[in-house]
Each structure stands twice: as C-alpha cells, then as structure tokens.
Amino acid sequence: MEQKHDNILWAGFTISSAVLAIDPIRWLVTSWSDPSYQSNGGVYGVLIVAIIAISLCSSAPNGPDTRGYGFVLFLLAAAVRLVGQMAAINIVSAFSLAIDVLALATFLRLNQRRLAVSPLWLSIFFLFCLPLAPILQRVAGFPLQMISADVACVMLSPIFSDLVCEAVRLRVNGIDVLVDLPCSGATGLLLMVSLWSALNVMFRPVVGHAVVAGIAIILLTIVGNGVRIALLAGGLALGIDTMEPSLHSGIGLISLGTAALPVVMFYRPRAAPLRLSFIPRIVVPRRLHIPVAVMVVALSIGVICAPRTALDVSSEVAAIHLPSQLLGHQGQNVALTPAEEYYFTSYGGTSQKAQFGPMGINIVRTTSPLRHLHSPEACLLGMGYSVRFLGTSFDPIPTSIYEATSPDGQVWHVAVSFVSNDGTQTAGVGEAIWNWLNGSSRVWQSVQRITPKHMAESDRRAFEDAALTALDL
C-alpha cells in the first residue's frame, strides 16, 4: 500500500508538470523552426538530451535521495508559469521549463553518477534553448554598440589622427563607419556565455567562483568585439574592403575564436558537490500523498486557465495620416494580415500599410516598442523571405537598409527608420527601445519604405524624399 501511495504522489507531480509544460514546449519548439525567431535553440536541446543520456548510462547514483526537493521545485515552476500566463509573455512561461530541467536532473541524481553533471548549471544551460538573441539585441543591443564603439575608438586613436567618434558612429580617413545593431556583439556574447555555462555543467563549480569567471568572460567578449570593430574600421580606412562578406565573417570568427580559446584552455574551476540547501526539503507524509497529488493536478489546471492580461499593452495612439498620392501614384490602403490584426488588436498600437504603384509604406506606432517594434528581418524571415542587411544611411534621416528576396524570387529594397513623438530619429530598434526604457521618448513609430530592387537609384531617392516629406519627417 505504501508503494502504491508513492506511485500516486509522483504520478501527480508528473501529470501536473506535463500540464504546465505543454504550451511552453509547443512555443519553444515552434521558435526553433520559425525563421523570425532566428534561434539555434534546437542545437542546445539536442546537447542537453545527450548530456543527460550519457550521465544516466555512466553508472547508478551513489548518494542520498534528493526527491524531497521535487515539491518545492514544482511550486517554483508553477509560479513562473503563472506569471508568464497572466502577463501573456511566452518566453517567461518558457523559463519554467528550466526549473523542470533542474527538478528532473535532481530527481535522476545526475550529480551522483560517475560522469556527474550539475543539475543547477544544466538548467541554466537549458536557457539557451530559448530565442535569447533577438531579446538581447533589442534590450541591450544599444549599450553594447556604444561600448564596442568606445573600445574601437581607444584602439584606433593612436593610429589615425583624423579619427572622429560620435556615439556609435566613427569617421576615419573620410570613411563613415557605424557600429550598427548586427555589430553589437550580442550573438557572440551569447555564444561565449553558453560556452561558460556548458563548462560549468561538466566541472560543477562553486556558484560564486563561476559567477566571477562569467563576468570576466563577458568583459573579455565585449573587448574582443571592440577589437573586431577596430579591425573592420581600420581596414576600410586603409582601403581594404573589410565589409566583403567572406572577409567580414572571417574577422568576426577570428575575434570570437581568440576570445574563446583561453576560456576553453584555462577555465578549470574546482568542482564542488551540489548542495540544494538553499531550497527547502519537504517530505510529504504518506497519508497525504493522495491529497497532495490531487492538489498539484488541480493547481496546474488553475495555472493554465488563469486569465491572460498583457502588462505591456500600448496606450491608444492616433493613426498617422498617410499621403493620398506620391510621385503621381494614387495611394491604396493595404489590409493587415490576420496575424497583424490580432497582434495590434490584442496589444494596442496601430499599424498602417499603403501601396503607391510598385512602392509601399508600412508604419507601426506604439507606446510599447518592446512589444511592437522590430527590424524588418523578424517579419520578413517569418514570411519566407531571405533578408540581407546592407548597411545604414544618415541622409535624409537615419535609416537601416535591407535587401529582401521573396519566395517567388522578387527582390526588394527595404529601408526602415524609427522616430519618436519628440523628434528623436534612429536607424536601430535597439536605440529606440533603450530611449523608451530610460523614459526619454514614449511614443515611437517605425517607418518602412519598400521599393523594387531594380528601381533606378534616382527614382528611389525621389520616392524616399516624397514619402518622408509627406509624413513630416
């Protein structure tokens, strides 16, 4: 009878955890296959499964039973899942899966096997299964751009006497170089931090020592990205086309490899046995196994049924008056797609699209840019386009330029600028969001101009000038 009660308790925990995990897992797996997320999370997922399998096959556990932590970890995962559910933020809900990984690794006693791994660091390593790169670029991309530009300026100033540094813009030997969002180093930083967490999974260091090492690795990576920017800008100043794709990629890989090499070679923290003393150990009395099993199942159902109320809904904003015609072409309003209609209906803001012959204008306006604003890559990649970033222009306003190829082979020139209600203009969504976060600009809009790639440059410039003038930009 006691064994039966044990089985009922753990069946209750298993069913409840599965109920809480279904939607986050579905969203997470979708993010791996949806190009708009630009995620390599599936690779990390395969690595985690392999690590668990290898550790399980190495030997039987040799140590105390750790199942008493399961109840507390379940409650913690349920709380995180509830926050994500009620705030309508999928990635917060997906964070609960990391706690599930910690609970599973603890239950399987992976740290007590011959090939021991740390359950705590394995759960942290799992976080890289999430689409973190776009989030890091949007939230911290602009500060990373500024730091990389400062490092590059320090390195280049002894070599080029005419160097001018203005925020993320460098001018050297008459060449204008912008440290744009793709050059912020966010992707390289995530790779280095994931390497650090993977090493911690295997070496199982004391948390304090690992954190100090992590800070050092982050600083090393940021400096390495500044070196990369200096090499790119210095090469352009000396007449070397460092923006040529193969050379540009080669410099990036060498810089990242140079930063990673000492970490791989010399990071050997002293192993410390994992102690979950910071988590209360709760042993459920046998007479309560059935009631507790029923309670946790009911709790999980209550969590997934909780109302979704997004916290970052945009306030009501006035729609922009689009021009009725441009360059002799009558404007035709273009209906939003069902996905766009749902997105802006649920989370506020406004979106407008108009076509002027072969040319188009898309405008998004919001008081919640972290929710609504993004680079053209996000939606175009999701629609099946291939997208290539071409660079940044400052005339007549700061503008990021992309080349987008549709699934049927049509090639488009896409220009986007971000403008606030107080007149701040920027080419990067990261700077727009950073200004919004520090409270300097509240209402933001993205202004996207789309023209055929084959259009004559003079005609494209005329359309750009006409569109921006009509929009009072």
Side-chain angles (χ1 to χ4, degrees), residues 238-377:
L238 296 174
I240 303 170
D241 185 12
T242 53
M243 302 308 293
E244 190 272 327
S246 59
L247 183 56
H248 185 276
S249 299
I251 292 174
L253 289 173
I254 291 173
S255 300
L256 185 61
T258 301
L261 186 61
V263 177
V264 174
M265 291 183 63
F266 302 114
Y267 183 54
R268 296 291 184 273
R270 185 173 58 186
L274 177 67
R275 293 185 177 90
L276 295 177
S277 56
F278 61 93
I279 299 177
R281 179 184 175 92
I282 297 178
V283 179
V284 180
R286 294 190 183 280
R287 66 181 180 276
L288 297 180
H289 281 195
I290 294 177
V292 168
V294 173
M295 182 194 72
V296 296
V297 171
L299 176 62
S300 64
I301 295 174
V303 167
I304 65 173
C305 293
R308 292 171 63 89
T309 306
L311 300 178
D312 54 344
V313 174
S314 171
S315 305
E316 185 176 350
V317 291
I320 295 175
H321 178 68
L322 293 175
S324 58
Q325 60 124 5
L326 287 174
L327 301 182
H329 295 280
Q330 290 296 319
Q332 295 181 334
N333 291 328
V334 178
L336 301 181
T337 65
E340 290 171 331
E341 187 69 36
Y342 169 78
Y343 191 64
F344 288 100
T345 300
S346 302
Y347 306 113
T350 181
S351 178
Q352 299 162 265
K353 299 194 290 188
Q355 198 72 24
F356 302 87
M359 303 160 291
I361 295 177
N362 294 353
I363 294 180
V364 173
R365 199 174 195 193
T366 180
T367 62
S368 183
L370 193 57
R371 170 72 76 169
H372 289 128
L373 297 189
H374 46 71
S375 71
E377 288 177 297

Side-chain angles (χ1 to χ4, degrees), residues 446-468:
S446 66
V447 183
Q448 190 169 295
R449 293 87 69 193
I450 305 167
T451 53
K453 181 68 174 179
H454 60 74
M455 176 181 281
E457 194 58 38
S458 58
D459 294 338
R460 190 186 338 272
R461 181 59 183 265
F463 172 72
E464 287 268 339
D465 290 344
L468 295 175

Side-chain angles (χ1 to χ4, degrees), residues 73-95:
L73 291 174
F74 166 78
L75 292 178
L76 182 58
V80 174
R81 176 74 171 83
L82 179 62
V83 171
Q85 169 77 12
M86 296 189 68
I89 303 176
N90 290 325
I91 197 165
V92 173
S93 296
F95 269 90

Side-chain angles (χ1 to χ4, degrees), residues 145 178-183 243 245 248 375-377 386-393 399-404 414 416 427-428:
Q145 290 173 256
L178 180 76
V179 184
D180 46 41
L181 194 56
C183 286
M243 302 308 293
H248 185 276
S375 71
E377 288 177 297
S386 60
V387 183
R388 185 164 66 97
F389 178 66
L390 299 181
T392 304
S393 170
T399 301
S400 291
I401 303 170
Y402 298 82
E403 179 184 284
V414 181
V416 63

